[in-house]
Amino acid sequence: MQVLKFWNTSKQKLYKPDYRLIAKCASSTKAFVTTPIYYVNAAPHIGHLYSTVLADTIRRNYILHGKDVIMSTGTDEHGLKIQQAANKRNMEPIEFCNQVSESFKTLCKAANVEYTSFERTTNKHHKEAVKALWNKLLLNGYFYKGKHEGWYSISDEAFYTNSQVQEVIDEKTGQKIMVSIETGQPVEWTSEENFKFRLSAFRDRLLEWIEKNPTVIVPSNRRNEVISLLKLGLSDLSVSRLRSRLQWGIKVPNESEHTIYVWLDALTNYLTATGYPWLKDIKNKDAFPPDVQVIGKDIIRFHAIYWPAFLMAAELPLPKQILAHAHWTMGKQKMSKSRGNVVNPFQIIKKYGADAVRYYLVRDGGLADDGDYSEEMIQTRYKKDLIGQFDTMIHNQILETANNFNNAFEDREFSKAYSYVFDMISQANKYFSDNEPWRLAKNPEDKERLDTILFYSLEACRVAGILLQPVMPSKMACVLTRLGVSSDKRYFKDATQFDLTKRPLGETDSVLFPKLTMT
């Protein structure tokens, strides 16, 4: 049988195939992964959980390859929306921010997300980093004062041109209002003097950067979107607001009448996480720039145009990859409180467990296209993939699976990557049941064949457990512990070859994935 092709029955020796699997990401010993910092005007939702879990899964996968990884996440706490939300609740802005920011930390804990840096834009060291970046851009000649007129969206914290807005009828009031075509958020005409950044000077450099690095923005439809925006041309960017309009933010250095624009403030967090401006804390200086920056598609313009332009202007290296995922819908409709189709991430984690939810999000979440959330699909994944496959013995052909998994993961095709593992498990289950080892155990003459079947079954469990660690860290730790796999033998390189050492098996006094109790 094919599964026995590495087994020499005459010599009773297992041959190791020479699979020289080197990850595309393994060119250096360090890696830096980021999530966006989340705006604290509302509680965490499923989209926040998806971004965070995706980043943590990538972080854990780097660890499988022996990398020293840092991961940053955090909260974006300045801006007019925060100022207004706090006023509405009769709270001080910082009190409001403390409350909501803590809920994002709680979500990370519930989802078993491990970060090395939780950045808040209200932290002192972040403010110092923002001012340092501001002064660098000013010194390099990229700021000037000018009058800015345009359609401003409080919700988006962004200005729009005439071609980027349209008139619609407000569903609630029946009145005509202007909204952003891109986001659908209301806009109002604003005219004021502020500092502007010479964004227009970076159009050609940004196009060259993207064209020379085909995977710097993924998936490809998001890359094409950015290229189209750049080819339309870039206008200089407003990077401050008058403090008479916006007090809740970082003051422009030596300019008491201006507040730094929230996006310049927020984007700097990725530098803050490494100790920028690296005067005292240089521990993580060499981790910059980020290897992967996970964001939602709605903020691609800020991360793939503004952010690299700021870095170019500051003479800093650019991110290696921006992964802009799609959104989650329900019933093919955008999630919103008014429709009553918002998913509470804390509730689904409590119901299904962190690992099962993590697996569902990464396996079925949309990258190029929106993913449609469905509890039925979570249950299907739980019952078919997790209960149906991992609570029975699994078999082999894992070395090819490891290679396929790694290639798909590095191409950021997460659903494809995990389908390789579970397709293998499905085939392995069939092989195991077809060979009926319980029958072979009754006949001493069948011991050699029985040993072969059991060896491959345990090896398949071991290697699958290693590959699935990034997305289901807790459950796979249980699998590997039960198999007697030591902590220093749980890396990707260990999944590319058979383990011939004899290991004591651990206790299996509980079911890995208990059956769901539906209410």
Side-chain angles (χ1 to χ4, degrees):
M1 289 191 178
Q2 185 182 18
V3 76
L4 296 176
K5 67 180 181 180
F6 303 129
W7 184 263
N8 185 318
T9 54
S10 63
K11 296 183 179 180
Q12 298 185 14
K13 179 181 179 182
L14 188 69
Y15 291 110
K16 298 180 183 179
D18 185 17
Y19 283 92
R20 300 178 184 274
L21 302 181
I22 301 176
K24 299 174 186 176
C25 63
S27 58
S28 65
T29 59
K30 289 193 175 183
F32 180 20
V33 181
T34 72
T35 78
I37 54 172
Y38 304 114
Y39 213 43
V40 295
N41 62 319
H45 56 65
I46 193 72
H48 299 134
L49 179 61
Y50 180 42
S51 293
T52 309
V53 164
L54 200 54
D56 188 57
T57 299
I58 293 170
R59 178 190 71 84
R60 291 175 184 273
N61 195 66
Y62 276 129
I63 292 173
L64 289 191
H65 292 272
K67 290 209 172 198
D68 180 13
V69 192
I70 66 170
M71 173 174 148
S72 69
T73 187
T75 45
D76 181 3
E77 303 180 17
H78 290 137
L80 197 53
K81 279 191 292 186
I82 305 303
Q83 189 172 299
Q84 292 177 342
N87 290 340
K88 187 177 180 181
R89 293 166 175 79
N90 295 317
M91 299 171 70
E92 289 297 319
I94 189 61
E95 182 185 0
F96 174 74
C97 291
N98 289 342
Q99 180 177 305
V100 183
S101 181
E102 194 61 33
S103 68
F104 282 91
K105 287 185 177 181
T106 303
L107 182 61
C108 285
K109 185 176 181 180
N112 198 9
V113 169
E114 297 178 358
Y115 50 80
T116 51
S117 175
F118 190 96
E119 298 302 328
R120 296 182 59 182
T121 56
T122 51
N123 284 342
K124 181 181 178 182
H125 68 281
H126 174 75
K127 294 177 182 178
E128 292 173 352
V130 172
K131 290 177 181 179
L133 181 62
W134 179 279
N135 288 333
K136 180 67 173 177
L137 298 181
L138 182 66
L139 178 66
N140 287 355
Y142 288 104
F143 289 153
Y144 66 93
K145 272 188 179 179
K147 185 176 182 181
H148 190 92
E149 290 186 326
W151 296 101
Y152 182 70
S153 167
I154 294 175
S155 179
D156 298 335
E157 297 280 7
F159 276 100
Y160 294 101
T161 64
N162 287 329
S163 63
Q164 294 174 311
V165 299
Q166 64 182 358
E167 187 178 77
V168 299
I169 303 297
D170 190 323
E171 294 180 359
K172 295 180 179 179
T173 65
Q175 297 179 341
K176 293 180 179 180
I177 60 170
M178 299 299 292
V179 300
S180 160
I181 295 173
E182 182 181 352
T183 67
Q185 296 297 330
V187 296
E188 59 183 30
W189 185 259
T190 302
S191 177
E192 65 180 38
E193 182 187 61
N194 51 39
F195 282 89
K196 303 187 84 170
F197 172 72
R198 299 183 191 278
L199 183 65
S200 57
F202 293 91
R203 174 185 175 273
D204 292 342
R205 290 177 64 183
L206 288 168
L207 280 170
E208 182 182 12
W209 169 59
I210 295 170
E211 288 168 0
K212 286 186 175 180
N213 300 277
T215 60
V216 76
I217 301 172
V218 292
S220 59
N221 62 336
R222 224 69 67 207
R223 176 178 182 269
N224 295 337
E225 177 186 335
V226 173
I227 291 174
S228 296
L229 289 172
L230 289 170
K231 288 184 175 180
L232 287 174
L234 295 177
S235 300
D236 288 350
L237 180 68
S238 171
V239 288
S240 74
R241 301 288 181 267
L242 291 175
R243 290 195 73 80
S244 58
R245 293 185 66 238
L246 175 61
Q247 297 82 41
W248 185 241
I250 302 171
K251 289 182 181 180
V252 171
N254 304 314
E255 290 282 348
S256 60
E257 295 182 354
H258 291 266
T259 300
I260 294 177
Y261 168 63
V262 68
W263 274 105
L264 176 59
D265 170 4
L267 290 165
T268 307
N269 93 88
Y270 306 122
L271 284 163
T272 307
T274 66
Y276 182 83
W278 306 310
L279 300 176
K280 297 178 181 178
D281 182 6
I282 60 172
K283 178 183 177 183
N284 292 317
K285 179 180 179 180
D286 58 349
F288 197 86
D291 290 78
V292 184
Q293 298 205 257
V294 177
I295 62 169
K297 66 178 182 179
D298 55 320
I299 52 177
I300 184 69
R301 178 159 51 101
F302 305 102
H303 282 79
I305 296 178
Y306 298 174
W307 171 229
F310 292 151
L311 292 174
M312 288 177 180
E315 302 170 309
L316 292 169
L318 307 187
K320 298 174 187 176
Q321 186 174 81
I322 298 169
L323 173 58
H325 63 73
H327 290 165
W328 282 94
T329 59
M330 184 181 286
K332 303 298 182 182
Q333 288 188 316
K334 184 178 179 180
M335 292 187 185
S336 69
K337 290 183 179 179
S338 60
R339 290 194 181 101
N341 63 349
V342 175
V343 180
N344 184 317
F346 293 99
Q347 289 180 356
I348 63 168
I349 289 173
K350 183 177 181 181
K351 185 173 183 179
Y352 298 102
D355 281 8
V357 172
R358 287 171 62 106
Y359 174 66
Y360 167 71
L361 292 176
V362 177
R363 177 75 188 266
D364 293 315
L367 289 181
D369 302 307
D370 290 346
D372 200 50
Y373 178 86
S374 162
E375 284 232 18
E376 290 77 11
M377 195 60 204
I378 297 183
Q379 293 167 15
T380 297
R381 289 291 183 210
Y382 194 101
K383 293 176 181 177
K384 182 180 177 181
D385 290 1
L386 305 183
I387 295 177
Q389 306 292 9
F390 246 103
D391 282 349
T392 58
M393 290 296 291
I394 63 174
H395 197 58
N396 208 290
Q397 288 295 329
I398 194 62
L399 293 179
E400 289 182 10
T401 299
N403 189 17
N404 292 334
F405 170 87
N406 188 59
N407 289 334
F409 196 100
E410 290 300 321
D411 288 338
R412 307 309 178 210
E413 297 182 40
F414 302 110
S415 181
K416 185 177 180 181
Y418 288 108
S419 70
Y420 280 127
V421 178
F422 281 93
D423 286 348
M424 178 276 300
I425 294 172
S426 180
Q427 294 171 5
N429 274 332
K430 184 176 185 302
Y431 173 84
F432 185 84
S433 60
D434 287 350
N435 282 278
E436 300 180 333
W438 52 89
R439 180 180 55 81
L440 297 175
K442 298 177 182 178
N443 188 354
E445 294 180 1
D446 291 328
K447 185 180 184 305
E448 183 178 301
R449 181 166 176 77
L450 175 63
D451 288 345
T452 300
I453 295 169
L454 295 179
F455 172 82
Y456 281 125
S457 297
L458 291 173
E459 277 295 274
C461 288
R462 180 185 68 86
V463 179
I466 289 172
L467 295 178
L468 293 172
Q469 284 179 106
V471 73
M472 293 186 284
S474 296
K475 295 296 185 182
M476 295 309 106
C478 290
V479 169
L480 296 171
T481 298
R482 289 177 181 181
L483 292 172
V485 180
S486 61
S487 59
D488 63 338
K489 297 291 185 181
R490 299 183 182 187
Y491 293 90
F492 179 79
K493 62 183 176 61
D494 301 304
T496 66
Q497 56 188 344
F498 291 113
D499 183 357
L500 301 180
T501 59
K502 293 183 178 180
R503 304 181 307 271
L505 299 182
E507 295 296 325
T508 56
D509 57 349
S510 63
V511 177
L512 194 63
F513 289 97
K515 291 185 177 181
L516 293 174
T517 301
M518 297 292 110
T519 56

